[in-house]
Amino acid sequence: MKRESKFRYSKLANILREQIMSGYIKPGNFLLSENDLCNHYGISRTSVRKSLEQLAQEGLIIKKVGQGTIVNPDLIVENSSDKVLRIFSISPSHFFDHGLPLIIEEFEKENPNVKIKCLNFSANEFWDTVQSSVELGLQPDVILVTDRHFSNADTSLEFLDLMPYLPDYSNMIYPCLRRAFLRDQKLQGAITTFSSVYLTYNPELFRKHQVPEPTERWSLEEFLEAAHRLTMDTNGDGINDQYGLSLSSSLGRWPVLVLQNGGNFKTNCEKEPLVNTLSFIHDLLYRHRVATLSPQYLLNSEAFIKGKAAMMMTTSLEMAGWSDSISGFEPKVASMPFGDHKGTLLTANAFMVPEASNEQEMAIRFVQKALSPSMQEKLGNEANLMSPLQQVNEKNWGTSMFQSLNINEDITMNSYFIDELFGDTSNIEQIVKEMHLFWAGIESAEEFAEKMIAIMND
Protein backbone atom coordinates (compact mmCIF):
# COMPACT_ATOMS: atom_id res chain seq x y z
CA MET A 1 0.00 0.00 0.00
CA LYS A 2 2.85 2.40 0.82
CA ARG A 3 4.44 1.67 -2.55
CA GLU A 4 1.16 2.33 -4.35
CA SER A 5 0.65 5.63 -2.46
CA LYS A 6 4.16 6.77 -3.30
CA PHE A 7 3.61 5.90 -6.95
CA ARG A 8 0.39 7.92 -7.07
CA TYR A 9 1.74 11.14 -5.61
CA SER A 10 4.99 10.89 -7.58
CA LYS A 11 2.96 10.39 -10.75
CA LEU A 12 0.84 13.48 -10.04
CA ALA A 13 3.96 15.50 -9.26
CA ASN A 14 5.43 14.46 -12.61
CA ILE A 15 2.25 15.47 -14.44
CA LEU A 16 2.07 18.90 -12.79
CA ARG A 17 5.81 19.46 -13.27
CA GLU A 18 5.49 18.76 -17.00
CA GLN A 19 2.48 21.07 -17.29
CA ILE A 20 4.51 23.83 -15.65
CA MET A 21 7.76 23.27 -17.55
CA SER A 22 5.95 22.97 -20.89
CA GLY A 23 4.21 26.29 -20.36
CA TYR A 24 0.73 24.78 -20.08
CA ILE A 25 0.46 26.38 -16.63
CA LYS A 26 2.39 29.65 -16.71
CA PRO A 27 4.27 31.45 -13.89
CA GLY A 28 1.76 33.25 -11.67
CA ASN A 29 -1.17 31.04 -12.75
CA PHE A 30 -3.21 29.14 -10.16
CA LEU A 31 -3.26 25.34 -10.08
CA LEU A 32 -6.53 23.47 -9.61
CA SER A 33 -7.72 23.31 -6.01
CA GLU A 34 -6.77 20.26 -3.94
CA ASN A 35 -10.35 19.01 -4.18
CA ASP A 36 -10.38 19.42 -7.97
CA LEU A 37 -7.01 17.64 -8.28
CA CYS A 38 -8.40 14.74 -6.23
CA ASN A 39 -11.41 14.41 -8.53
CA HIS A 40 -9.50 15.08 -11.75
CA TYR A 41 -6.81 12.45 -11.19
CA GLY A 42 -8.73 10.04 -8.96
CA ILE A 43 -6.33 10.07 -6.02
CA SER A 44 -6.60 10.90 -2.31
CA ARG A 45 -6.14 14.34 -0.76
CA THR A 46 -3.08 12.99 1.08
CA SER A 47 -1.41 12.05 -2.22
CA VAL A 48 -2.31 15.44 -3.72
CA ARG A 49 -0.77 17.28 -0.78
CA LYS A 50 2.41 15.20 -0.94
CA SER A 51 2.81 15.96 -4.65
CA LEU A 52 2.31 19.69 -4.02
CA GLU A 53 4.84 19.61 -1.18
CA GLN A 54 7.35 17.99 -3.52
CA LEU A 55 6.85 20.70 -6.18
CA ALA A 56 7.05 23.43 -3.53
CA GLN A 57 10.41 22.05 -2.37
CA GLU A 58 11.61 22.24 -5.98
CA GLY A 59 10.59 25.90 -6.09
CA LEU A 60 8.02 25.37 -8.84
CA ILE A 61 4.94 26.40 -6.88
CA ILE A 62 3.99 28.70 -4.01
CA LYS A 63 1.05 28.23 -1.65
CA LYS A 64 -1.03 31.35 -1.05
CA VAL A 65 -2.87 31.12 2.27
CA GLY A 66 -6.59 31.35 1.71
CA GLN A 67 -6.17 31.65 -2.07
CA GLY A 68 -4.67 28.45 -3.41
CA THR A 69 -1.46 27.36 -5.11
CA ILE A 70 0.27 29.27 -7.92
CA VAL A 71 3.21 28.58 -10.18
CA ASN A 72 6.24 30.51 -8.88
CA PRO A 73 6.01 33.95 -10.61
CA ASP A 74 9.83 34.11 -10.68
CA LEU A 75 10.18 30.75 -12.44
CA ILE A 76 12.11 30.95 -15.71
CA VAL A 77 11.38 28.18 -18.17
CA GLU A 78 14.46 27.83 -20.36
CA ASN A 79 14.06 27.10 -24.05
CA SER A 80 15.85 24.00 -25.27
CA SER A 81 17.45 23.41 -28.64
CA ASP A 82 15.89 19.92 -28.65
CA LYS A 83 12.74 19.32 -30.62
CA VAL A 84 9.73 18.51 -28.46
CA LEU A 85 7.07 15.94 -29.32
CA ARG A 86 4.00 16.39 -27.12
CA ILE A 87 1.78 13.42 -26.35
CA PHE A 88 -1.61 13.86 -24.71
CA SER A 89 -3.06 10.81 -22.97
CA ILE A 90 -6.06 9.82 -20.91
CA SER A 91 -5.55 9.15 -17.20
CA PRO A 92 -5.57 6.61 -15.70
CA SER A 93 -4.12 4.35 -18.40
CA HIS A 94 -2.35 1.02 -17.99
CA PHE A 95 -0.79 1.41 -21.42
CA PHE A 96 0.52 4.87 -20.56
CA ASP A 97 2.17 3.48 -17.43
CA HIS A 98 3.61 0.23 -18.81
CA GLY A 99 3.73 0.36 -22.62
CA LEU A 100 4.32 3.96 -23.69
CA PRO A 101 7.60 4.35 -21.72
CA LEU A 102 9.13 1.49 -23.75
CA ILE A 103 8.21 3.19 -27.04
CA ILE A 104 9.51 6.57 -25.84
CA GLU A 105 12.80 5.04 -24.70
CA GLU A 106 13.42 3.43 -28.09
CA PHE A 107 12.35 6.50 -30.06
CA GLU A 108 14.57 8.88 -28.09
CA LYS A 109 17.53 6.55 -28.57
CA GLU A 110 17.08 6.74 -32.33
CA ASN A 111 16.34 10.49 -32.22
CA PRO A 112 18.68 12.01 -29.59
CA ASN A 113 17.66 15.56 -30.54
CA VAL A 114 14.02 14.86 -29.64
CA LYS A 115 12.45 15.09 -26.20
CA ILE A 116 9.00 13.61 -25.67
CA LYS A 117 6.72 15.38 -23.21
CA CYS A 118 3.58 13.67 -21.97
CA LEU A 119 0.50 15.23 -20.43
CA ASN A 120 -2.26 13.19 -18.79
CA PHE A 121 -5.84 14.37 -18.67
CA SER A 122 -8.80 12.90 -16.82
CA ALA A 123 -10.66 10.29 -18.86
CA ASN A 124 -14.00 11.82 -17.88
CA GLU A 125 -13.31 15.27 -19.40
CA PHE A 126 -10.59 14.25 -21.83
CA TRP A 127 -11.70 15.92 -25.06
CA ASP A 128 -12.85 19.08 -23.28
CA THR A 129 -9.41 19.37 -21.67
CA VAL A 130 -7.62 18.71 -24.97
CA GLN A 131 -9.70 21.41 -26.63
CA SER A 132 -8.96 23.86 -23.81
CA SER A 133 -5.23 23.12 -24.08
CA VAL A 134 -5.25 23.86 -27.81
CA GLU A 135 -7.11 27.11 -27.22
CA LEU A 136 -4.46 28.10 -24.66
CA GLY A 137 -1.73 27.48 -27.23
CA LEU A 138 -0.51 24.01 -26.21
CA GLN A 139 -0.85 21.87 -29.35
CA PRO A 140 -0.56 18.07 -29.09
CA ASP A 141 1.48 16.19 -31.70
CA VAL A 142 0.19 12.72 -30.80
CA ILE A 143 -2.90 11.75 -28.82
CA LEU A 144 -3.24 8.37 -27.08
CA VAL A 145 -6.87 7.25 -26.77
CA THR A 146 -8.98 4.21 -26.00
CA ASP A 147 -11.56 2.84 -28.41
CA ARG A 148 -14.31 4.53 -26.38
CA HIS A 149 -12.61 7.93 -26.44
CA PHE A 150 -12.10 7.59 -30.18
CA SER A 151 -15.74 6.79 -30.89
CA ASN A 152 -16.94 9.53 -28.52
CA ALA A 153 -14.51 12.21 -29.73
CA ASP A 154 -16.14 15.61 -29.37
CA THR A 155 -13.56 18.06 -30.65
CA SER A 156 -12.97 20.49 -33.46
CA LEU A 157 -9.54 18.96 -34.11
CA GLU A 158 -8.93 17.32 -37.49
CA PHE A 159 -6.76 14.21 -37.66
CA LEU A 160 -4.44 12.74 -40.27
CA ASP A 161 -5.35 9.68 -42.29
CA LEU A 162 -2.52 7.37 -41.17
CA MET A 163 -3.13 4.71 -43.81
CA PRO A 164 -0.61 6.16 -46.36
CA TYR A 165 2.08 6.07 -43.66
CA LEU A 166 1.29 2.50 -42.52
CA PRO A 167 0.89 0.68 -45.87
CA ASP A 168 1.03 -2.86 -44.43
CA TYR A 169 -1.14 -2.12 -41.40
CA SER A 170 -4.49 -3.38 -42.75
CA ASN A 171 -3.00 -6.67 -43.93
CA MET A 172 -1.20 -7.38 -40.65
CA ILE A 173 -3.88 -6.70 -38.03
CA TYR A 174 -6.86 -8.82 -37.01
CA PRO A 175 -9.89 -8.30 -39.29
CA CYS A 176 -12.22 -6.95 -36.59
CA LEU A 177 -9.67 -4.31 -35.60
CA ARG A 178 -9.64 -2.77 -39.08
CA ARG A 179 -13.04 -1.15 -38.66
CA ALA A 180 -12.71 0.26 -35.16
CA PHE A 181 -10.63 3.37 -35.85
CA LEU A 182 -11.87 4.29 -39.31
CA ARG A 183 -13.79 7.48 -40.07
CA ASP A 184 -15.00 8.11 -43.59
CA GLN A 185 -12.70 5.26 -44.68
CA LYS A 186 -9.72 7.10 -43.20
CA LEU A 187 -7.50 5.52 -40.56
CA GLN A 188 -7.55 8.22 -37.89
CA GLY A 189 -6.38 5.97 -35.09
CA ALA A 190 -3.59 3.37 -35.26
CA ILE A 191 -4.05 0.62 -32.66
CA THR A 192 -0.87 -0.01 -30.70
CA THR A 193 -2.30 -2.63 -28.32
CA PHE A 194 -5.62 -4.35 -27.79
CA SER A 195 -7.15 -7.10 -25.73
CA SER A 196 -10.16 -9.32 -25.57
CA VAL A 197 -11.98 -9.84 -22.28
CA TYR A 198 -11.03 -13.29 -21.01
CA LEU A 199 -11.04 -15.43 -17.88
CA THR A 200 -7.97 -15.52 -15.65
CA TYR A 201 -7.40 -17.61 -12.54
CA ASN A 202 -5.11 -18.01 -9.54
CA PRO A 203 -3.40 -21.40 -9.92
CA GLU A 204 -2.10 -21.34 -6.35
CA LEU A 205 -5.64 -21.31 -4.93
CA PHE A 206 -6.62 -24.21 -7.19
CA ARG A 207 -3.59 -26.22 -6.03
CA LYS A 208 -3.98 -25.28 -2.37
CA HIS A 209 -7.55 -26.55 -2.25
CA GLN A 210 -6.92 -29.49 -4.59
CA VAL A 211 -9.28 -28.25 -7.28
CA PRO A 212 -8.43 -29.33 -10.86
CA GLU A 213 -7.17 -26.41 -12.94
CA PRO A 214 -9.25 -25.39 -15.98
CA THR A 215 -8.66 -27.38 -19.14
CA GLU A 216 -8.93 -26.04 -22.70
CA ARG A 217 -12.44 -27.47 -23.05
CA TRP A 218 -13.78 -27.37 -19.49
CA SER A 219 -17.55 -27.20 -19.13
CA LEU A 220 -19.89 -24.82 -17.33
CA GLU A 221 -20.56 -27.58 -14.78
CA GLU A 222 -16.81 -27.89 -14.09
CA PHE A 223 -16.56 -24.12 -13.72
CA LEU A 224 -19.41 -24.04 -11.20
CA GLU A 225 -17.96 -26.97 -9.25
CA ALA A 226 -14.59 -25.19 -9.02
CA ALA A 227 -16.30 -21.94 -7.95
CA HIS A 228 -18.20 -23.79 -5.20
CA ARG A 229 -15.10 -25.54 -3.88
CA LEU A 230 -13.07 -22.33 -3.87
CA THR A 231 -15.71 -20.31 -1.99
CA MET A 232 -15.17 -20.58 1.76
CA ASP A 233 -14.78 -18.98 5.18
CA THR A 234 -11.02 -19.03 5.73
CA ASN A 235 -10.88 -17.29 9.13
CA GLY A 236 -13.75 -19.04 10.89
CA ASP A 237 -15.94 -16.01 11.55
CA GLY A 238 -18.95 -17.48 9.75
CA ILE A 239 -18.64 -15.19 6.71
CA ASN A 240 -17.21 -16.28 3.37
CA ASP A 241 -14.05 -14.29 2.69
CA GLN A 242 -12.79 -16.23 -0.35
CA TYR A 243 -14.83 -16.63 -3.53
CA GLY A 244 -14.63 -18.66 -6.68
CA LEU A 245 -15.19 -15.62 -8.89
CA SER A 246 -14.83 -11.85 -8.72
CA LEU A 247 -17.60 -10.47 -10.95
CA SER A 248 -17.58 -6.87 -12.17
CA SER A 249 -20.77 -4.89 -12.74
CA SER A 250 -19.03 -2.91 -15.49
CA LEU A 251 -20.54 -2.99 -18.98
CA GLY A 252 -16.98 -3.68 -20.10
CA ARG A 253 -17.19 -7.18 -18.58
CA TRP A 254 -20.52 -8.96 -17.97
CA PRO A 255 -21.96 -8.51 -21.53
CA VAL A 256 -19.41 -11.16 -22.58
CA LEU A 257 -21.77 -13.68 -20.96
CA VAL A 258 -24.59 -12.47 -23.22
CA LEU A 259 -22.41 -12.84 -26.31
CA GLN A 260 -21.40 -16.36 -25.27
CA ASN A 261 -25.09 -17.24 -24.99
CA GLY A 262 -25.82 -16.01 -28.51
CA GLY A 263 -27.43 -12.73 -27.49
CA ASN A 264 -26.80 -9.14 -28.53
CA PHE A 265 -27.77 -5.60 -27.60
CA LYS A 266 -29.25 -4.41 -30.86
CA THR A 267 -32.76 -3.19 -31.59
CA ASN A 268 -35.29 -6.06 -31.48
CA CYS A 269 -32.79 -8.38 -29.80
CA GLU A 270 -34.03 -11.72 -28.48
CA LYS A 271 -35.15 -11.77 -24.87
CA GLU A 272 -34.19 -15.36 -24.01
CA PRO A 273 -30.37 -15.00 -24.12
CA LEU A 274 -30.63 -11.86 -21.95
CA VAL A 275 -32.82 -13.58 -19.37
CA ASN A 276 -30.59 -16.67 -19.31
CA THR A 277 -27.48 -14.55 -18.78
CA LEU A 278 -28.98 -12.30 -16.12
CA SER A 279 -30.38 -15.36 -14.29
CA PHE A 280 -26.93 -16.95 -14.38
CA ILE A 281 -25.42 -13.80 -12.84
CA HIS A 282 -28.00 -13.92 -10.03
CA ASP A 283 -27.17 -17.62 -9.58
CA LEU A 284 -23.50 -16.80 -9.07
CA LEU A 285 -24.16 -13.92 -6.68
CA TYR A 286 -27.25 -14.87 -4.71
CA ARG A 287 -28.35 -18.48 -5.29
CA HIS A 288 -25.01 -20.32 -5.33
CA ARG A 289 -23.18 -17.41 -3.60
CA VAL A 290 -19.88 -18.26 -5.29
CA ALA A 291 -19.08 -14.78 -6.63
CA THR A 292 -18.25 -11.43 -5.06
CA LEU A 293 -19.28 -8.26 -6.88
CA SER A 294 -16.84 -5.45 -7.63
CA PRO A 295 -18.10 -1.95 -8.52
CA GLN A 296 -18.41 -0.99 -12.18
CA TYR A 297 -15.67 1.65 -11.87
CA LEU A 298 -13.23 -0.73 -10.12
CA LEU A 299 -12.25 -3.18 -12.86
CA ASN A 300 -8.97 -3.96 -11.11
CA SER A 301 -10.42 -6.37 -8.56
CA GLU A 302 -8.75 -6.15 -5.15
CA ALA A 303 -10.26 -9.51 -4.25
CA PHE A 304 -8.42 -11.31 -7.06
CA ILE A 305 -5.12 -9.48 -6.56
CA LYS A 306 -5.14 -10.26 -2.84
CA GLY A 307 -5.90 -13.94 -3.38
CA LYS A 308 -9.48 -13.67 -2.14
CA ALA A 309 -11.09 -14.62 -5.47
CA ALA A 310 -9.92 -17.52 -7.60
CA MET A 311 -11.14 -16.28 -11.01
CA MET A 312 -12.17 -13.09 -12.78
CA MET A 313 -12.75 -11.69 -16.26
CA THR A 314 -10.04 -9.26 -17.28
CA THR A 315 -7.87 -7.94 -20.16
CA SER A 316 -4.15 -7.92 -20.87
CA LEU A 317 -4.17 -4.12 -20.36
CA GLU A 318 -5.64 -4.54 -16.88
CA MET A 319 -3.23 -7.36 -16.04
CA ALA A 320 -0.28 -5.17 -17.04
CA GLY A 321 -1.34 -2.80 -14.27
CA TRP A 322 -1.08 -5.56 -11.65
CA SER A 323 2.70 -5.83 -11.83
CA ASP A 324 3.24 -3.54 -8.82
CA SER A 325 0.48 -4.92 -6.63
CA ILE A 326 0.00 -8.66 -7.19
CA SER A 327 2.12 -11.08 -5.18
CA GLY A 328 2.24 -14.78 -4.37
CA PHE A 329 1.01 -16.12 -7.70
CA GLU A 330 1.21 -15.77 -11.47
CA PRO A 331 -2.25 -15.49 -13.07
CA LYS A 332 -3.11 -17.96 -15.82
CA VAL A 333 -5.64 -17.80 -18.64
CA ALA A 334 -8.63 -20.14 -18.86
CA SER A 335 -11.19 -20.72 -21.60
CA MET A 336 -14.59 -19.14 -20.90
CA PRO A 337 -17.18 -21.96 -20.62
CA PHE A 338 -20.28 -19.77 -20.45
CA GLY A 339 -21.91 -20.66 -23.76
CA ASP A 340 -21.58 -22.15 -27.24
CA HIS A 341 -20.78 -18.83 -28.94
CA LYS A 342 -17.15 -17.75 -28.60
CA GLY A 343 -17.48 -14.01 -29.06
CA THR A 344 -16.17 -11.55 -26.50
CA LEU A 345 -15.62 -7.85 -25.86
CA LEU A 346 -12.58 -5.94 -27.11
CA THR A 347 -10.67 -2.91 -25.87
CA ALA A 348 -7.77 -1.03 -27.46
CA ASN A 349 -5.38 1.90 -27.25
CA ALA A 350 -4.52 3.87 -30.38
CA PHE A 351 -2.46 6.85 -31.51
CA MET A 352 -3.98 9.80 -33.38
CA VAL A 353 -2.03 12.60 -35.07
CA PRO A 354 -3.72 16.04 -35.27
CA GLU A 355 -3.40 17.78 -38.62
CA ALA A 356 -2.31 20.91 -36.71
CA SER A 357 0.65 19.12 -35.08
CA ASN A 358 3.74 21.34 -34.96
CA GLU A 359 5.92 18.25 -35.48
CA GLN A 360 3.79 16.25 -37.90
CA GLU A 361 6.64 14.38 -39.62
CA MET A 362 8.14 13.38 -36.26
CA ALA A 363 4.72 12.37 -34.93
CA ILE A 364 4.24 10.06 -37.90
CA ARG A 365 7.66 8.50 -37.31
CA PHE A 366 6.71 7.94 -33.66
CA VAL A 367 3.53 6.09 -34.66
CA GLN A 368 5.48 4.06 -37.23
CA LYS A 369 7.97 3.10 -34.51
CA ALA A 370 5.17 2.08 -32.14
CA LEU A 371 3.60 -0.16 -34.81
CA SER A 372 6.84 -1.73 -36.03
CA PRO A 373 7.04 -5.52 -35.48
CA SER A 374 10.19 -5.20 -33.35
CA MET A 375 8.55 -2.66 -31.04
CA GLN A 376 5.39 -4.71 -30.85
CA GLU A 377 7.43 -7.77 -29.85
CA LYS A 378 9.10 -5.76 -27.10
CA LEU A 379 5.74 -4.56 -25.77
CA GLY A 380 4.63 -8.18 -25.62
CA ASN A 381 7.80 -9.54 -24.02
CA GLU A 382 8.42 -6.79 -21.48
CA ALA A 383 4.94 -5.46 -20.70
CA ASN A 384 2.81 -8.54 -21.56
CA LEU A 385 0.70 -6.47 -23.94
CA MET A 386 -1.10 -7.95 -26.94
CA SER A 387 -0.27 -6.69 -30.39
CA PRO A 388 -2.75 -5.78 -33.14
CA LEU A 389 -0.28 -7.53 -35.48
CA GLN A 390 -1.35 -11.15 -35.73
CA GLN A 391 2.09 -12.57 -36.57
CA VAL A 392 3.67 -10.86 -33.56
CA ASN A 393 1.14 -12.41 -31.20
CA GLU A 394 1.60 -15.89 -32.62
CA LYS A 395 5.35 -15.52 -32.14
CA ASN A 396 5.12 -14.11 -28.60
CA TRP A 397 2.23 -16.14 -27.21
CA GLY A 398 1.45 -19.12 -29.44
CA THR A 399 -1.74 -20.05 -31.27
CA SER A 400 -3.28 -22.24 -28.52
CA MET A 401 -2.99 -19.43 -25.99
CA PHE A 402 -4.96 -17.13 -28.26
CA GLN A 403 -7.69 -19.73 -28.68
CA SER A 404 -8.25 -19.46 -24.91
CA LEU A 405 -8.35 -15.68 -25.24
CA ASN A 406 -11.03 -15.99 -27.95
CA ILE A 407 -8.68 -14.45 -30.48
CA ASN A 408 -8.19 -15.76 -33.99
CA GLU A 409 -9.43 -14.70 -37.41
CA ASP A 410 -12.80 -16.46 -37.08
CA ILE A 411 -13.55 -15.74 -33.43
CA THR A 412 -12.73 -12.05 -33.50
CA MET A 413 -15.36 -11.51 -36.17
CA ASN A 414 -17.94 -12.20 -33.41
CA SER A 415 -16.24 -9.87 -30.93
CA TYR A 416 -17.05 -6.22 -30.40
CA PHE A 417 -15.83 -2.98 -28.95
CA ILE A 418 -18.37 -1.76 -26.43
CA ASP A 419 -19.69 1.09 -28.58
CA GLU A 420 -20.13 -1.32 -31.51
CA LEU A 421 -22.05 -3.67 -29.26
CA PHE A 422 -24.53 -1.10 -27.97
CA GLY A 423 -24.66 1.27 -30.93
CA ASP A 424 -26.07 4.41 -29.34
CA THR A 425 -23.81 5.48 -26.45
CA SER A 426 -26.82 6.95 -24.63
CA ASN A 427 -28.04 3.36 -24.28
CA ILE A 428 -24.88 2.51 -22.34
CA GLU A 429 -25.44 5.34 -19.86
CA GLN A 430 -29.11 4.46 -19.44
CA ILE A 431 -28.47 0.74 -18.88
CA VAL A 432 -25.80 1.47 -16.25
CA LYS A 433 -28.18 3.87 -14.50
CA GLU A 434 -31.01 1.33 -14.42
CA MET A 435 -29.03 -1.70 -13.18
CA HIS A 436 -28.66 -0.88 -9.48
CA LEU A 437 -31.69 -2.88 -8.31
CA PHE A 438 -30.68 -5.85 -10.48
CA TRP A 439 -27.18 -5.93 -9.00
CA ALA A 440 -28.67 -5.77 -5.51
CA GLY A 441 -30.77 -8.87 -6.29
CA ILE A 442 -34.01 -6.88 -5.88
CA GLU A 443 -35.01 -6.79 -9.55
CA SER A 444 -35.38 -10.15 -11.31
CA ALA A 445 -33.62 -11.18 -14.52
CA GLU A 446 -36.94 -11.20 -16.35
CA GLU A 447 -37.82 -7.67 -15.19
CA PHE A 448 -34.49 -6.17 -16.09
CA ALA A 449 -34.31 -7.95 -19.46
CA GLU A 450 -37.61 -6.32 -20.40
CA LYS A 451 -36.34 -2.94 -19.23
CA MET A 452 -33.10 -3.33 -21.21
CA ILE A 453 -34.95 -4.27 -24.40
CA ALA A 454 -37.19 -1.24 -23.97
CA ILE A 455 -34.12 1.02 -23.67
CA MET A 456 -32.55 -0.43 -26.82
CA ASN A 457 -35.79 -0.22 -28.80
CA ASP A 458 -36.56 3.35 -27.76
Side-chain angles (χ1 to χ4, degrees):
M1 184 62 70
K2 288 182 179 178
R3 182 178 180 183
E4 181 182 1
S5 177
K6 181 178 179 181
F7 170 76
R8 287 185 174 184
Y9 84 75
S10 296
K11 182 179 177 183
L12 177 58
N14 290 338
I15 292 169
L16 294 176
R17 186 185 298 107
E18 171 54 27
Q19 290 179 345
I20 293 169
M21 299 308 293
S22 67
Y24 179 64
I25 310 176
K26 301 183 184 302
N29 285 2
F30 279 91
L31 271 62
L32 294 174
S33 68
E34 289 184 3
N35 187 54
D36 286 341
L37 287 171
C38 291
N39 294 331
H40 196 72
Y41 293 100
I43 63 177
S44 69
R45 188 175 291 272
T46 299
S47 294
V48 167
R49 287 176 176 171
K50 285 184 177 181
S51 67
L52 295 178
E53 288 172 6
Q54 182 174 328
L55 296 178
Q57 291 173 1
E58 296 172 12
L60 297 179
I61 62 173
I62 297 173
K63 292 188 177 181
K64 295 273 189 177
V65 178
Q67 298 182 51
T69 304
I70 66 170
V71 178
N72 189 341
D74 298 325
L75 180 67
I76 299 175
V77 180
E78 297 182 0
N79 292 324
S80 171
S81 59
D82 290 335
K83 286 188 175 183
V84 175
L85 186 73
R86 286 193 171 87
I87 299 177
F88 285 8
S89 171
I90 60 167
S91 178
S93 166
H94 294 309
F95 182 79
F96 180 89
D97 293 334
H98 302 279
L100 187 59
L102 298 176
I103 302 172
I104 291 174
E105 181 184 20
E106 289 295 314
F107 190 80
E108 288 186 337
K109 279 182 184 178
E110 297 175 2
N111 302 272
N113 65 323
V114 175
K115 293 298 179 185
I116 296 178
K117 304 292 186 181
C118 298
L119 290 179
N120 301 67
F121 299 123
S122 169
N124 293 332
E125 300 98 18
F126 180 70
W127 287 114
D128 287 340
T129 312
V130 169
Q131 192 67 46
S132 298
S133 300
V134 173
E135 291 170 359
L136 290 170
L138 193 62
Q139 175 66 48
D141 300 302
V142 178
I143 299 181
L144 175 64
V145 296
T146 66
D147 52 281
R148 290 220 62 196
H149 284 88
F150 179 85
S151 62
N152 297 333
D154 182 15
T155 175
S156 62
L157 294 179
E158 298 290 337
F159 295 94
L160 286 183
D161 178 8
L162 296 173
M163 193 67 74
Y165 308 103
L166 301 167
D168 298 325
Y169 182 75
S170 290
N171 296 326
M172 297 175 68
I173 68 171
Y174 293 91
C176 69
L177 302 183
R178 294 172 188 159
R179 64 182 184 254
F181 289 85
L182 289 173
R183 278 206 186 120
D184 300 324
Q185 300 305 309
K186 295 178 180 179
L187 182 68
Q188 295 191 352
I191 296 177
T192 186
T193 187
F194 88 106
S195 179
S196 63
V197 173
Y198 54 84
L199 188 67
T200 187
Y201 70 97
N202 181 338
E204 296 304 320
L205 284 182
F206 276 75
R207 293 171 193 148
K208 179 179 178 180
H209 300 291
Q210 299 181 333
V211 178
E213 290 188 40
T215 62
E216 188 174 334
R217 298 184 181 277
W218 71 328
S219 65
L220 181 60
E221 290 71 24
E222 290 171 320
F223 164 83
L224 288 172
E225 181 183 356
H228 275 288
R229 292 175 61 181
L230 291 164
T231 299
M232 62 190 70
D233 169 19
T234 64
N235 59 13
D237 66 355
I239 301 173
N240 286 340
D241 54 17
Q242 177 181 300
Y243 287 87
L245 179 71
S246 176
L247 181 65
S248 173
S249 59
S250 167
L251 275 183
R253 294 293 181 268
W254 69 265
V256 170
L257 304 178
V258 177
L259 293 175
Q260 296 240 318
N261 279 284
N264 62 62
F265 296 88
K266 304 298 183 182
T267 302
N268 299 320
C269 65
E270 293 183 22
K271 181 179 175 180
E272 184 178 0
L274 285 177
V275 173
N276 290 342
T277 300
L278 295 171
S279 296
F280 177 63
I281 289 173
H282 271 179
D283 286 346
L284 295 173
L285 290 171
Y286 301 113
R287 295 187 183 96
H288 301 310
R289 298 181 183 274
V290 295
T292 181
L293 187 65
S294 64
Q296 59 177 318
Y297 298 115
L298 189 64
L299 291 180
N300 194 346
S301 173
E302 291 293 318
F304 183 78
I305 290 173
K306 294 179 179 178
K308 291 298 183 178
M311 296 176 281
M312 70 173 287
M313 288 189 289
T314 186
T315 67
S316 63
L317 288 163
E318 186 179 4
M319 287 183 70
W322 295 347
S323 58
D324 293 330
S325 52
I326 200 168
S327 62
F329 70 97
E330 184 74 27
K332 287 187 176 182
V333 174
S335 297
M336 289 192 288
F338 305 121
D340 297 329
H341 301 264
K342 296 305 179 183
T344 186
L345 285 173
L346 302 169
T347 184
N349 286 109
F351 290 119
M352 306 174 73
V353 177
E355 287 187 354
S357 165
N358 295 320
E359 298 291 347
Q360 192 178 104
E361 183 271 336
M362 186 163 55
I364 291 169
R365 284 197 284 117
F366 181 84
V367 174
Q368 289 171 333
K369 178 64 181 179
L371 270 293
S372 66
S374 61
M375 190 70 245
Q376 287 291 307
E377 284 185 31
K378 186 168 185 175
L379 290 171
N381 292 329
E382 297 188 21
N384 292 320
L385 293 169
M386 292 185 198
S387 172
L389 309 182
Q390 188 170 349
Q391 292 180 340
V392 171
N393 280 340
E394 291 173 353
K395 180 177 181 180
N396 278 4
W397 304 83
T399 303
S400 60
M401 167 73 166
F402 273 77
Q403 291 287 340
S404 296
L405 299 180
N406 287 315
I407 295 176
N408 63 32
E409 287 218 18
D410 295 330
I411 293 175
T412 49
M413 297 307 293
N414 296 315
S415 301
Y416 303 91
F417 291 98
I418 189 168
D419 285 340
E420 290 181 319
L421 188 65
F422 287 92
D424 189 343
T425 55
S426 63
N427 287 347
I428 298 175
E429 297 169 2
Q430 188 68 16
I431 290 171
V432 169
K433 182 180 178 181
E434 296 288 347
M435 288 198 75
H436 300 299
L437 292 179
F438 169 78
W439 288 120
I442 297 172
E443 190 169 49
S444 72
E446 180 89 17
E447 290 170 327
F448 187 71
E450 291 178 357
K451 186 180 293 185
M452 190 182 301
I453 290 172
I455 291 172
M456 291 182 290
N457 288 341
D458 185 6

